[in-house]
Amino acid sequence: GNAEIESSLERALGAIDADQDKLDTAVAHFEKAVALAERGAGAEHPSVARALDSLGMAVMARGDGARAIALHERALHLYERLLGAGHPTVAQALHHLGNAYTAVGDHAAAAAELRRALAIREAALGPEHPDLAANLTDLARVVGRLGDPEQAAALARRGAVVGERAFGPEHPAFAGQLVTLGVQLGRSGHPLEADAALRRAEAIFARLHGPEHVEVMGVLVARGDLQLQQARWRDAAALYERALPVLARSPGDGEALHSAQINLARARVELHQAAVALPVLEQLARTPDALPATDRVALELTLAQALWDTGGDRARASALATGALARARGLPGARDDVARIERWRTSHRVP
């Protein structure tokens, strides 16, 4: 009917706005699409599920992960009733739901949904279908956050293989998969392979967008993180210093910006330049709840070190390190961070 046609039009308009990062108007279009689909086709119709799914992705992009979860769950249950539990569209809904759980930091729930999506796609589409590429890569990121770097690297490697076959060796989606592969290889103790994957991704993005594009800077940050893992402080600092001005001018990259700022500060502290690092750390410490848990741990420890090394408030430094340790103990895969904080606290005791 006319309402269904109007709903499809609203979804198309919403998609255009979402592609242009006009998220508020995109959400408005998708909300109208849901209402029109329900009015024209009834609550149990695929057009309603499609509109809910689109609305969920736009809401998540706008930063409301909790609402995105509720919308994607509604879409998922509709698709399961209408199409059956093994349909590829159900896998797509599970994938979107998994990404919404990732956005709110519930990595265990995200992994469960992404694994369900992967199993359905493998059974329905085969092990090398293009739809598996992003599924594998997103699952790799989540598994890495859950503290299994070897499995994360294996998933990322498979995702990159599928992605290169599906999209070609110069596609930006494949370059993004190489970044995930490089990050997970670095965390699993394979720095040479990690560096090769990251440099290949950097070259692809540079050819596509130019050498100063924000995508290239994101790879530089990942390369800086890899250098940090190897205690190559000067090399890490140089990469962060090159990337940070571009990230600071790029809306929507706040999390990447803050992570790079904290890691640059750590490199400077290790290079005995704590006084240079301290102002940025103090600024970030004003809004610690805005940071992901892993970044907050790094901020608190690095600020503690900078305060101590500059002769600042050592009681505050000790309290920051104690808070960082408590937080790190609650994070999966943070064993190395816990050990590093414990060593620092042992050697830096307030009289």
Side-chain angles (χ1 to χ4, degrees):
N2 288 337
E4 285 182 70
I5 294 171
E6 291 172 3
S7 175
S8 297
L9 177 59
E10 290 293 339
R11 279 201 303 116
L13 292 170
I16 292 169
D17 282 345
D19 285 343
Q20 297 175 355
D21 289 328
K22 299 176 181 176
L23 296 177
D24 289 340
T25 54
V27 166
H29 282 302
F30 291 138
E31 287 174 336
K32 192 171 180 182
V34 172
L36 286 165
E38 288 176 332
R39 190 177 75 199
E44 299 281 320
H45 193 272
S47 62
V48 176
R50 287 192 290 271
L52 287 168
D53 199 41
S54 298
L55 176 58
M57 287 188 288
V59 164
M60 186 172 69
R62 202 170 60 170
D64 190 348
R67 186 183 177 200
I69 289 169
L71 290 163
H72 285 308
E73 283 181 338
R74 281 183 63 195
L76 170 64
H77 296 152
L78 261 177
Y79 280 134
E80 286 178 325
R81 288 197 295 273
L82 293 166
L83 303 173
H87 196 278
T89 303
V90 171
Q92 176 182 287
L94 285 164
H95 191 165
H96 293 163
L97 178 58
N99 286 345
Y101 276 119
T102 300
V104 300
D106 190 344
H107 302 307
E113 305 300 358
L114 290 167
R115 288 188 191 282
R116 286 179 63 198
L118 182 62
I120 292 170
R121 282 168 164 155
E122 287 175 327
L125 304 172
E128 297 184 7
H129 192 276
D131 286 358
L132 270 69
N135 198 153
L136 286 159
T137 301
D138 290 342
L139 180 57
R141 293 193 196 100
V142 171
V143 168
R145 288 171 180 148
L146 289 171
D148 192 343
E150 290 290 348
Q151 187 187 22
L155 288 162
R157 194 188 301 277
R158 187 180 162 205
V161 169
V162 174
E164 185 171 16
R165 287 178 185 155
F167 309 124
E170 293 294 315
H171 196 280
F174 171 60
Q177 292 173 317
L178 284 172
V179 174
T180 299
L181 176 59
V183 169
Q184 302 305 331
L185 285 169
R187 291 174 179 169
S188 61
H190 304 283
L192 294 179
E193 284 185 89
D195 185 67
L198 291 172
R199 286 181 184 274
R200 188 177 175 193
E202 181 184 343
I204 295 169
F205 283 134
R207 285 193 292 271
L208 289 170
H209 306 304
E212 298 302 313
H213 192 271
V214 66
E215 295 278 14
V216 178
M217 298 301 114
V219 183
L220 290 183
V221 169
R223 286 181 54 210
D225 295 346
L226 181 62
Q227 300 303 312
L228 208 69
Q229 292 162 16
Q230 300 171 77
R232 297 173 64 174
W233 313 118
R234 292 189 189 282
D235 292 337
L239 289 163
Y240 295 134
E241 286 166 352
R242 185 179 159 203
L244 278 168
V246 177
L247 292 177
R249 296 193 300 269
S250 302
D253 284 306
E255 188 173 316
L257 172 66
H258 295 155
S259 178
Q261 288 174 322
I262 294 165
N263 286 341
L264 174 57
R266 181 185 170 194
R268 285 176 169 160
V269 169
E270 297 287 354
L271 291 167
H272 309 292
Q273 300 168 4
V276 178
L278 196 55
V280 171
L281 293 168
E282 290 285 23
Q283 181 181 356
L284 290 169
R286 294 190 189 109
T287 55
D289 292 338
L291 298 171
T294 52
D295 285 349
R296 184 166 179 177
V297 168
L299 170 65
E300 289 174 337
L301 177 60
T302 307
L303 179 54
Q305 293 171 310
L307 285 168
W308 195 283
D309 292 353
T310 56
D313 185 342
R314 292 192 168 183
R316 181 184 170 214
S318 180
L320 283 163
T322 300
L325 180 60
R327 244 176 284 281
R329 283 176 172 158
L331 295 175
R335 182 175 56 193
D336 291 345
D337 290 332
V338 168
R340 185 161 64 91
I341 298 167
E342 288 177 335
R343 285 195 302 271
W344 189 86
R345 289 178 75 242
T346 299
S347 59
H348 295 77
R349 295 191 181 277
V350 178

